[in-house]
Amino acid sequence: MKRLPALLLLLCLSLPAAAQKQAACPYAAWKSGFKGDARAQATCLLRPVKLYARLGASAPLPEFLDSHVGKKITLEAARLRTYLAAHGIDEKDVGGAVDAPLSRAVGRLVAPMARYFVIHDTSYPNFLAESIPAHINDADWDFNDFSLRNPALGGGPKGHVYVNRLGGSLAVRDFGRPGYASKLEKDKPSLTGLFLHVELVQPRNSVPGGGKGNDGLAPDPGFTPAQYDRLALLYIAASVRKGKWLIPAFHAVLDTGFANGHDDPQNFSLAEWSASLSRLHSALGQADTRQ
């Protein structure tokens, strides 16, 4: 959720409006989304996010995402519900009832259902010039305890679900409720409801010489295996509710071209997340669905 450094913000503000809103991926208003088929959209929307929200080049999707995104999902809600119960996971912690519909775009006579699964990092807490503590992946780090650090109590736009570094999740908004959490949606309110937002807990500290109070540096690796596993579960749960594999996206890519955009998620491994998806899909007893 980090904001860009002041120097970059001033540069953005000095540009013409059309230049400021030059999206990283071509938008197609007529289709309430981005141009291209689901795979092409995901390939663009998952461009790696670098320091100060610079984007890397598009790369081929990892195997699981490449063969599933945009396709019909064959996993039934009842099977997923059984898996959740067997693992002691409450449906509300994966975004709500797995047989309920997803949110729909607001302000439309014919409102399309959510299509995009947006991955964020919290960029918080910011340790400034201090080193990030060595125990951020342990239970005794208080930002892993949602009873102590409940993101629903803060101000401003919120994601739908938060995932701590232990792999626990907390839904502050059901996947069935629209809510914006990107500059794109704020600029185009009628898109709110098309995007589901998941926040991964990730602390930051300051880039030396990068400006007072900046939070440009993230840990590397950026996320834990437990976070990738819970993110995989959230993606599958949301896709079951859609009936089709959602199109994943990075927050920073959606915000590209907007003044005061964001730079998250930092140091995210698509390969690790895709591997988590493949393992969970197999554990749910599903055959590969290349339809």
Side-chain angles (χ1 to χ4, degrees), residues 39 66 96 189-191 212 276 286:
R39 289 172 62 207
D66 183 67
S190 64
L191 297 182
K212 184 177 181 181
S276 288
Q286 292 297 290

Side-chain angles (χ1 to χ4, degrees), residues 1 91-97 101-104 106 120 150-162 169-182 185 192-199 234 238 241:
M1 296 291 289
E91 288 183 53
K92 66 180 176 57
D93 292 331
V94 294
L102 296 178
S103 62
R104 291 184 178 272
V106 299
H120 303 244
N150 188 329
L153 301 179
K158 301 177 180 67
H160 287 84
V161 183
Y162 288 72
S169 56
L170 173 71
V172 300
R173 180 183 288 115
D174 190 287
F175 281 151
R177 290 177 51 208
Y180 84 89
S182 70
E185 294 160 284
T192 301
L194 289 179
F195 300 85
L196 307 179
H197 298 278
V198 177
E199 295 271 3
L234 290 166
R241 292 172 66 169

Side-chain angles (χ1 to χ4, degrees), residues 197-211:
H197 298 278
V198 177
E199 295 271 3
L200 304 175
V201 172
Q202 183 192 74
R204 299 287 185 95
N205 62 358
S206 296
V207 177

Side-chain angles (χ1 to χ4, degrees), residues 7-261:
L7 180 60
L8 291 183
L9 173 58
L10 289 174
L11 177 61
C12 287
L13 293 177
S14 69
L15 295 173
Q20 289 183 34
K21 296 184 180 181
Q22 184 61 50
C25 303
Y27 183 76
W30 60 271
K31 65 180 293 185
S32 298
F34 297 88
K35 293 182 180 179
D37 63 17
R39 289 172 62 207
Q41 292 183 57
T43 299
C44 187
L45 292 167
L46 293 173
R47 291 173 61 184
V49 182
K50 300 184 178 182
L51 190 67
Y52 296 149
R54 298 186 184 98
L55 301 181
S58 297
L61 295 174
E63 181 179 359
F64 187 90
L65 290 172
D66 183 67
S67 61
H68 290 80
V69 67
K71 308 272 181 76
K72 179 181 178 181
I73 185 168
T74 59
L75 176 64
E76 295 179 353
R79 183 184 289 271
L80 177 58
R81 179 168 280 147
T82 298
Y83 175 90
L84 294 174
H87 289 80
I89 301 170
D90 197 307
E91 288 183 53
K92 66 180 176 57
D93 292 331
V94 294
V98 296
D99 56 359
L102 296 178
S103 62
R104 291 184 178 272
V106 299
R108 307 288 185 88
L109 291 176
V110 180
M113 188 178 288
R115 295 173 174 163
Y116 299 94
F117 183 87
V118 186
I119 302 167
H120 303 244
D121 77 54
T122 60
S123 305
Y124 184 82
N126 181 8
F127 290 95
L128 300 173
E130 297 181 11
S131 298
I132 293 174
H135 69 296
I136 61 171
N137 298 337
D138 299 337
D140 62 349
W141 189 52
D142 60 0
F143 285 88
N144 285 325
D145 187 341
F146 288 130
S147 68
L148 297 175
R149 306 284 184 176
N150 188 329
L153 301 179
K158 301 177 180 67
H160 287 84
V161 183
Y162 288 72
V163 181
N164 65 27
R165 300 186 70 81
L166 304 177
S169 56
L170 173 71
V172 300
R173 180 183 288 115
D174 190 287
F175 281 151
R177 290 177 51 208
Y180 84 89
S182 70
K183 296 289 182 181
L184 175 65
E185 294 160 284
K186 187 174 182 180
D187 184 66
K188 302 180 188 300
S190 64
L191 297 182
T192 301
L194 289 179
F195 300 85
L196 307 179
H197 298 278
V198 177
E199 295 271 3
L200 304 175
V201 172
Q202 183 192 74
R204 299 287 185 95
N205 62 358
S206 296
V207 177
K212 184 177 181 181
N214 83 82
D215 58 355
L217 287 181
D220 191 5
F223 305 99
T224 66
Q227 282 181 300
Y228 288 119
D229 286 347
R230 181 51 60 97
L231 187 67
L233 181 59
L234 290 166
Y235 178 63
I236 288 176
S239 296
V240 165
R241 292 172 66 169
K242 169 78 172 180
K244 180 183 291 188
W245 292 95
L246 294 169
I247 300 171
F250 288 151
H251 182 196
V253 181
L254 295 183
D255 271 5
T256 300
F258 290 95
N260 204 25

